[in-house]
Structures are given as structure tokens and as C-alpha cells.
Amino acid sequence: MQRSKRVNTQVNHPNTKLMNQFIDWISQPWPWYVAGPLIGLTVPALLILGNKSFGISSSLRHVCAICIPAKIPFFQYNWRKETWNLIFVLGVLVGGFVATTFMSNPDEIVIASKTQADLAALGITDFSGLMPSDIFSWENLFTAKGLVFFVLGGFLVGFGTRYAGGCTSGHAIMGISSLQWPSLVATIFFMVGGFLMTQVFLAPLMKLVGF
């Protein structure tokens, strides 16, 4: 009897209640005025704590430098000094897995009705996840859709990132905040490319792959 009472006390303990409230709070989408500054503060935190530059795409180069034995000049550098970047990216992956698996928001994703209508006209009707399964699914991996959106799209993202000298995080977050003119130019063209793909190229491309 005493043991049962002790268990109930633990369940109703104020710390347990606070923990449940914290889980409920962190599972909800954060407003832009909270999430935005937190992402932005990553830049000065890295600079102050370790004189490091924020960026994600550079981690791919470090991985290739570790795994590729060929003596390619681009991969001949001391990647061990960049171990922190690999740990950072690993933390992003682990954090994303934990958030998606254990802290996902059960509510439906809110998409504007006009956006849904535009996407439905292109053949995309699944709005249940962060990415539409009409395109991004294992079944489409070895189809024309997968070839265009996974293989060709992935290659263009990688090529563009390397050609621009960084990705959206390196340029738009780190570069602009440190007042680098090339980063401003790169970010402008990131946006221009996104607008062109959405408004001009997406519809013909969807028809080409069978939507």
C-alpha cells in the first residue's frame, strides 16, 4: 500500500507536471519571432565560442575527404580540424529524428487552400506529411519521378552549392549576417531560382515525368 502511494506521488509530482508541459510546448510549431532569432543566434554563438563559421554543405566535403582515398586536390586538407562541423550536422540529423519520431505535432499541416488547389492541378494531392508522398516515396525512387527529383535534383543542389561556395545556411544566415557581399548575391539568386522553378519550370517538368 505504501509503495502504491509513493508511485502516485511521483506521477503527480510538480516536476513531472512541468516535464509534461514542456513536452507539450516543444511539440508545437514555434512562431517565427522565436525560431528565427534562435537560428540567427547560432552565428554569434559559433563565432564567440570557437571562431567557427555556420554552414551545412561543407560537411559533405569533409565526409568525402574522409572516405575517398584518391588524391584529389579538393579533398587534400586537414579535415580533422572540421570534426566539430560533422558533429554539428550529426546533431541536426539526430535532433530531426527525435523531433519527428517522439515530438511530432499530431495536428494536420496547415496549407493554404489556394496552394492545395495549385498543387492538385499538378498532380500532388497528398498533404499529410512535410513532403508529398506523390513525389517523395520509396516507390518512386526508380521511376522517372525519382530520376528527376532525386538524382537530377540532388545533383543540381550539390553542384549549385559548390559553385556558389556555400548553401542557404552558409550564405543567407552566416554570410549576410557578417556583411559579405557575395553571400547577398548568392542569396538573391537562391530566391530567384526558387521563384523561377515554382512559377515557370515546375508545371512542364511535372508533365514530363508523368503527373
Side-chain angles (χ1 to χ4, degrees):
M1 191 72 180
Q2 290 181 351
R3 181 179 179 182
S4 176
K5 183 177 180 180
R6 183 163 55 250
V7 171
N8 291 335
T9 302
Q10 291 176 351
V11 171
N12 297 320
H13 194 276
N15 290 339
T16 303
K17 184 177 180 180
L18 288 174
M19 179 60 68
N20 291 333
Q21 291 176 344
F22 175 76
I23 295 298
D24 291 338
W25 172 73
I26 203 173
S27 299
Q28 300 300 316
W30 291 4
W32 63 267
Y33 52 81
V34 174
L38 286 176
I39 294 173
L41 288 173
T42 305
V43 173
L46 284 173
L47 289 173
I48 293 172
L49 296 177
N51 195 27
K52 305 294 185 182
S53 297
F54 177 73
I56 300 297
S57 62
S58 55
S59 62
L60 179 59
R61 182 189 181 193
H62 306 327
V63 172
C64 291
I66 296 171
C67 300
I68 297 178
K71 293 184 178 181
I72 301 174
F74 186 69
F75 298 134
Q76 296 298 306
Y77 64 95
N78 187 6
W79 56 265
R80 291 176 178 82
K81 290 184 178 181
E82 308 299 331
T83 303
W84 71 272
N85 187 258
L86 297 174
I87 296 175
F88 180 86
V89 173
L90 179 62
V92 172
L93 294 174
V94 172
F97 173 79
V98 171
T100 303
T101 306
F102 302 106
M103 299 180 180
S104 60
N105 185 4
D107 299 333
E108 292 185 1
I109 298 175
V110 179
I111 302 177
S113 56
K114 187 177 184 305
T115 302
Q116 291 190 29
D118 292 340
L119 291 173
L122 296 175
I124 300 175
T125 57
D126 179 15
F127 308 111
S128 59
L130 293 176
M131 296 189 300
S133 61
D134 300 297
I135 299 176
F136 301 101
S137 65
W138 290 108
E139 291 78 11
N140 292 332
L141 185 58
F142 298 104
T143 64
K145 300 174 186 177
L147 178 65
V148 171
F149 288 100
F150 297 155
V151 180
L152 180 60
F155 171 79
L156 290 176
V157 169
F159 174 80
T161 299
R162 200 61 266 150
Y163 187 75
C167 60
T168 50
S169 59
H171 282 305
I173 299 176
M174 181 69 199
I176 292 181
S177 64
S178 56
L179 304 179
Q180 297 184 36
W181 169 251
S183 291
L184 176 60
V185 174
T187 302
I188 290 174
F189 279 94
F190 289 157
M191 299 301 296
V192 170
F195 292 143
L196 286 175
M197 174 54 71
T198 302
Q199 302 297 330
V200 178
F201 299 116
L202 184 59
L205 186 62
M206 298 288 279
K207 292 180 181 179
L208 180 66
V209 297
F211 273 93

